[in-house]
Structures are given as structure tokens and as C-alpha cells.
Amino acid sequence: MAKSKASVPIGVFDSGIGGLTVVRALKRVLPNEDIIYLGDTARVPYGIKSPESITRFAVEDTRFLINRKVKLVIVACHTVSSVCLPELKKNFSVPILGVIAPGARAALAATKNRRIGVIGTQATIMAGTYERVIREVARQEKLGSDVEIVAKSTPLFVPLVEEGWVDNDIAILVAKSYLLSFQDEGIDTLLLGCTHYPLLKSMMKRVLKKVTLVDSATATAREAKKILAETGICRNQNRKPNYRFYLSDLTPNFMEIGKRFLGEPIPFVLRASIAE
Amino acid sequence: MAKSKASVPIGVFDSGIGGLTVVRALKRVLPNEDIIYLGDTARVPYGIKSPESITRFAVEDTRFLINRKVKLVIVACHTVSSVCLPELKKNFSVPILGVIAPGARAALAATKNRRIGVIGTQATIMAGTYERVIREVARQEKLGSDVEIVAKSTPLFVPLVEEGWVDNDIAILVAKSYLLSFQDEGIDTLLLGCTHYPLLKSMMKRVLKKVTLVDSATATAREAKKILAETGICRNQNRKPNYRFYLSDLTPNFMEIGKRFLGEPIPFVLRASIAE
């Protein structure tokens, strides 16, 4: 049983194509695993939708992956991870991993002065989940309760990345407008709470020179490895893995934009009917 | 029959809240008419979706309004008007009016040197509808076939408006990046092909000093008045009209952002189940 389960894929979903940055990290950390990716491009973006709609979409996305027999579901979408992860875990028996807790742990490990900044979409920040989860992790791991968190929504970053403007004058001006106030707040660590933001990381680094930037994709991939190892369903043999990419809407520029997120060309894409 | 039909509302739909700029124009041009507005905020934005999905959404939106007994459907969404207006007209017997043809007529009336620029979302521009419709109108109205059209997608403008950044350094830099090349193209008229863009109009005017900016909301409202008058279903008595606002998703900031688009506070909002 455990052996046959090891040979099935990991499922990853996101509201769109940003979650491919998590797939990129998984390929590095778990190079033998097959991956099924679902991007709900017909209903992207989730960040501006109500919690009720986000939860309904997330349940449908998870069911789509579980119907394809995955051994682990990774919620690459920060909005979903923030708004309804407990709801998903309650509804399905397959292990489900979000991106918030791994990111929170990495940020707590990185900070020296105990002042952490968090940026994300409006829904992620309004839900206040990062603040709650960072405090929970700090308590669980006996890191004390004195951590200060400054959270801010940065809605222009996603369209900037999708336009490919990750390092021009406009991107820098937007980053300064959103981020420079973090310096006055005295944070030493900034958690990038959205799948798109890693593509802006090197530019942000120049704007916030003295701040450590933490993105959660690698942290999430490492946690996935740990879960698979603990439950004995890791795929260890050296092999060429299979990757399948599903989108609920075949957007015209997916191949071009997707390549930027994944870090390599996408071979082909399948159309997903999500409300199945 | 005609008399009772005159007393039913006009229906207006958009993928989100941008279409409220068309409602604002309708209130000015047709002050006695009741209006039902539908914003498909659960699936916004349409501009990045495939033609198949856009068409399905538009049929569902139109059916929602017709089920509420409207006498005219105005498609305030430029993406839908561009991608599938003939499809909608084929499927429903109620008159349906888009925003493209009225905008095209207004631009042709405004240009002196016969060089017109068009800006819009990626889907609107990729569909090439403005180019086709401007040429059709020029032919029909014997304005000659020598008109030159330069079209360009400007995807950052919508999130800028939604962030409320309509006149700051960033908005000006984005506008310069998108628009200054139009000067080299020698256009004298720029058609704003998206419901959100009127809110950027005064800032754009400073960037493109010598260019006439045309937005289609008022042109569409005037055409609506003409259709109602021609079919004898205009509501002429002086009265206080009723406005009803439906959204498919009750987004947290609707009241605040909606007020900016409508030009006055929105009294209350109803939740729409579109796939009914």
C-alpha cells in the first residue's frame, strides 16, 4: 500500500499560474516526484474575492486533484492558505499543505531583531493569518511571544509581474512606494506572502538593502519532503519524473508567462473542468 | 404593451465594477429610467480569460438581467463587447447594446487627421474589434477608408485605478510608458477602450496634451436613449428612478471603490447567483 502510494504524484494548485514558483522549488527539493499542477485561470485572481467564494473554489480545486489520485495536496495559493486551509483539511483525508506555516517558520528563523514584515494580496493581509500563524509557530517552538509583525497589502505587484515589469523604473517606484515604510518600522526580515513575488525578489533586495527577504516556496517544498518521508510515501528511486499542467481556462499567454514562473518551458497544457 | 414595457428597467452588466462609469453616464442622459446593474465580481477580470469562457460568462450575465425583465441590455464590459456581442444578439430577443460601436463613432467624429489610437485590456486589443468596427462605421457613414488605427493593450491601468492611484507619480510613469509612443505615431484622438479608464482621463490628458481623449460611456448612453426612443419604450415622465446593484461576489471594498466609479455613494448591494 505505502509502496504503491509512493508512486502517485504530488498535487499542487493555485488560483492561477503563480503557483509554478512552488513547482519550481519542488522539482529542486524532490526531483523524483511526479507533479500534477492545477491553475484555476478561469477564476483568477482569488485575492479580491470573498471568503465564501474562495472556500468554494478551493474545495473544487482540491477535489479535482484528489480525483486524479495524488498523495499530497500543496495549496500554492497564499489566499487559499490564508482563508480556508482548516476547512480543506476537515473535508479531505489526503494530507494538505499550505504555504503560510512554512513561510512563517522560515521568517522566524531568519529574524534577529524579532521584527518581521509581511506583504501579500488584500485578502491574505486582511485575513490576518500570517500574524496569527507566526505567533503560533513562535509559541510552539518556544521562540517567545515578543515578535512584532507589520503587514501590508501590495496589490500592484501581481500585475507588474504578469506584465513582465519586474525590474524597470515603474517596478522600482511601486516597490519604493509600498516597501520603504517598512524601513521606518525597523523590520529586519520581510516575508513575501504571494506566489508571484519571488520574481520581484532581486529588485526588492535593492530597494530594501538591509532587510532579509524570505519567500515561502522553498520552505514549503522542504516541508512537503518531510511529510512524505514521515509517512513513508517518498519516491526515492532516481528517475525522470512526469509533470502534468492543467488550467481551467487556456489563457492566450500561458506558455510565455508560465515559463517565467517555472524557470523553464512548459511542454503542454491540459484543459481542466473543475466543477466536475 | 409598449407602454408597460417602457416602465421596466434598463439592464447593465460588466465583469466587475468598472461598468458603473456607464451607469453614471446613463443617469445623466436618461434620468427617469430605472437601472439594474450586474457586476460579475466572482469571475472578474474577463480580459485575461479565453474567448470561450468570456462568451459563457456573458450569456449567463445577460440571462440574469433578462430574467429580471429588462427592456434593454447594455454590455458595459469592453471585453465582452469585443469578443462575443454578435453571439449574444443571436441568443436573446431583447435589444443588446455594446460599448464598442458608440465609442468608434465618437472617435471618428473627433479625429481630424484620421489617425486614431485605441487602448484596452489584452483580450480587447488582441481581438482587434476596435480596428474592425471603426473601419465598418467609417464605411457605413461614408467617412472614407483612409483612417489609420494604432491599438495597444495597457494592462496596468485597471489595477492602478482599483488601487486609487489615478494621479500619482506611478500612474504618470505608467501612462508615459504606455502612451508616449502614440505621439510618435501622430494620432490626434485616443479612444479609451475600457470602463476603468475614464478615471485616469484627466491625468492622461496631461501626458498627451495634444490628443483628444474619447471615452465611450457617454456615447453608449446616448445610443441607448436613441434605441429606446425609436422603439417607443423610453420612460419620459419626471420621476425618481430606482437603481439596483447586484454583484456575484460581495467583495470587501465594493462600496468604497464603487463610489469612485459611480460618482456617488452606493446605497446597498444584492448578491447575484449567476449560473441560475
Side-chain angles (χ1 to χ4, degrees):
Chain A
M1 174 60 189
K3 197 182 170 190
S4 75
K5 211 169 182 185
S7 68
V8 302
I10 296 171
V12 179
F13 78 86
D14 181 33
S15 57
I17 57 178
L20 290 172
T21 56
V22 174
V23 175
R24 195 204 300 217
L26 282 170
K27 288 171 64 181
R28 219 169 42 227
V29 175
L30 289 162
N32 300 317
E33 299 287 348
D34 294 341
I35 298 172
I36 297 180
Y37 181 82
L38 169 63
D40 189 10
T41 43
R43 300 185 289 199
V44 72
Y46 286 4
I48 54 167
K49 313 284 158 76
S50 69
E52 293 70 33
S53 292
I54 293 165
T55 305
R56 181 165 61 85
F57 298 166
V59 167
E60 290 170 0
D61 297 339
T62 305
R63 189 173 298 128
F64 178 93
L65 290 171
I66 287 177
N67 286 349
R68 272 147 197 84
K69 307 207 186 318
V70 297
K71 58 187 174 186
L72 168 69
V73 170
I74 298 180
V75 180
C77 177
H78 286 255
T79 301
V80 171
S81 299
S82 161
V83 171
C84 57
L85 201 61
E87 188 75 16
L88 288 183
K89 289 183 172 173
K90 213 168 59 192
N91 275 287
F92 299 98
S93 58
V94 167
I96 296 177
L97 176 64
V99 282
I100 308 274
R105 259 185 282 276
L108 277 165
T111 185
K112 289 189 174 74
N113 74 357
R114 319 283 297 154
R115 296 179 73 83
I116 298 172
V118 178
I119 54 174
T121 65
Q122 200 179 25
T124 300
I125 298 306
M126 277 179 67
T129 318
Y130 269 107
E131 190 152 352
R132 185 172 51 71
V133 174
I134 290 172
R135 288 193 195 290
E136 268 172 28
V137 171
R139 206 163 36 240
Q140 281 161 12
E141 308 195 353
K142 308 253 186 298
L143 293 168
S145 59
D146 63 331
V147 60
E148 296 260 3
I149 301 148
V150 186
K152 189 170 186 175
S153 70
T154 52
L156 257 289
F157 279 164
V158 166
L160 274 175
V161 168
E162 291 184 350
E163 182 73 321
W165 291 359
V166 296
D167 200 10
N168 67 3
D169 288 353
I170 292 166
I172 292 166
L173 206 56
V174 172
K176 282 182 177 169
S177 170
Y178 282 141
L179 303 181
L180 285 182
S181 65
F182 279 118
Q183 271 178 350
D184 307 328
E185 299 275 355
I187 63 157
D188 72 348
T189 301
L190 181 67
L191 181 49
L192 314 186
C194 173
T195 49
H196 281 56
Y197 297 176
L199 281 83
L200 297 165
K201 199 170 169 182
S202 65
M203 179 276 293
M204 286 190 207
K205 188 67 215 159
R206 295 204 307 278
V207 171
L208 286 181
K209 288 193 182 67
K210 293 175 185 167
V211 173
T212 304
L213 302 184
V214 170
D215 80 85
S216 47
T218 306
T220 303
R222 285 188 185 134
E223 200 134 324
K225 187 177 183 177
K226 211 174 128 199
I227 290 171
L228 295 183
E230 279 171 6
T231 50
I233 52 173
C234 224
R235 194 161 197 174
N236 293 315
Q237 76 271 37
N238 226 317
R239 60 189 286 279
K240 191 175 153 43
N242 290 312
Y243 303 123
R244 259 186 295 163
F245 300 96
Y246 288 91
L247 296 183
S248 56
D249 185 44
L250 301 180
T251 45
N253 288 354
F254 174 74
M255 291 305 207
E256 190 193 318
I257 302 182
K259 182 181 162 185
R260 233 182 276 152
F261 284 88
L262 190 64
E264 62 183 71
I266 293 164
F268 63 95
V269 175
L270 301 159
R271 170 83 163 72
S273 260
I274 292 184
E276 58 189 333
Chain B
M1 173 60 191
K3 197 183 168 189
S4 74
K5 212 170 181 186
S7 68
V8 303
I10 296 171
V12 179
F13 80 85
D14 181 33
S15 57
I17 55 177
L20 291 173
T21 56
V22 175
V23 175
R24 197 203 300 216
L26 281 171
K27 288 171 62 182
R28 219 168 43 224
V29 175
L30 289 162
N32 300 316
E33 299 286 347
D34 294 341
I35 298 171
I36 297 180
Y37 181 83
L38 169 63
D40 189 10
T41 43
R43 300 186 289 198
V44 70
Y46 286 3
I48 55 168
K49 313 286 159 75
S50 68
E52 293 72 31
S53 292
I54 293 164
T55 304
R56 182 165 61 83
F57 298 167
V59 167
E60 290 170 1
D61 297 339
T62 306
R63 189 173 297 128
F64 178 91
L65 290 171
I66 287 177
N67 286 347
R68 273 148 196 84
K69 306 209 188 316
V70 296
K71 59 186 172 186
L72 167 69
V73 171
I74 298 180
V75 181
C77 177
H78 285 255
T79 301
V80 170
S81 299
S82 161
V83 171
C84 58
L85 200 60
E87 187 76 14
L88 288 183
K89 288 182 173 175
K90 215 168 57 194
N91 274 287
F92 298 98
S93 59
V94 167
I96 297 177
L97 176 63
V99 282
I100 308 276
R105 258 185 284 276
L108 276 165
T111 185
K112 288 188 175 72
N113 73 357
R114 319 285 296 155
R115 296 179 73 83
I116 297 171
V118 178
I119 55 173
T121 66
Q122 200 178 24
T124 300
I125 298 305
M126 278 178 67
T129 318
Y130 269 107
E131 190 152 353
R132 186 173 48 73
V133 173
I134 291 172
R135 286 191 198 292
E136 269 172 27
V137 172
R139 207 165 31 241
Q140 282 161 12
E141 311 197 351
K142 308 257 188 295
L143 293 167
S145 60
D146 63 330
V147 59
E148 296 260 3
I149 301 149
V150 187
K152 190 170 186 177
S153 69
T154 51
L156 257 289
F157 280 163
V158 165
L160 275 176
V161 168
E162 291 183 349
E163 182 72 321
W165 290 359
V166 296
D167 201 9
N168 68 3
D169 287 355
I170 292 166
I172 291 166
L173 206 56
V174 172
K176 282 183 176 168
S177 170
Y178 283 141
L179 303 181
L180 285 182
S181 65
F182 279 118
Q183 271 178 350
D184 307 330
E185 299 276 355
I187 62 156
D188 72 347
T189 302
L190 181 66
L191 181 50
L192 314 186
C194 173
T195 50
H196 282 56
Y197 298 176
L199 281 84
L200 297 164
K201 199 171 170 184
S202 66
M203 180 276 292
M204 285 190 206
K205 189 66 216 160
R206 295 205 306 277
V207 171
L208 286 181
K209 287 192 184 67
K210 292 174 186 169
V211 172
T212 303
L213 302 184
V214 170
D215 80 85
S216 47
T218 307
T220 302
R222 284 188 186 136
E223 199 134 329
K225 187 177 182 177
K226 210 174 128 198
I227 291 171
L228 295 183
E230 280 172 5
T231 48
I233 53 173
C234 224
R235 194 162 197 173
N236 292 316
Q237 77 271 37
N238 227 316
R239 59 189 286 280
K240 192 175 152 43
N242 290 312
Y243 303 123
R244 260 186 295 163
F245 300 96
Y246 288 91
L247 296 182
S248 57
D249 185 45
L250 300 180
T251 45
N253 288 354
F254 173 74
M255 290 305 206
E256 191 193 318
I257 301 182
K259 182 181 160 186
R260 233 182 276 150
F261 283 87
L262 189 63
E264 62 183 72
I266 293 165
F268 64 96
V269 175
L270 301 159
R271 170 85 162 69
S273 260
I274 292 184
E276 58 188 332

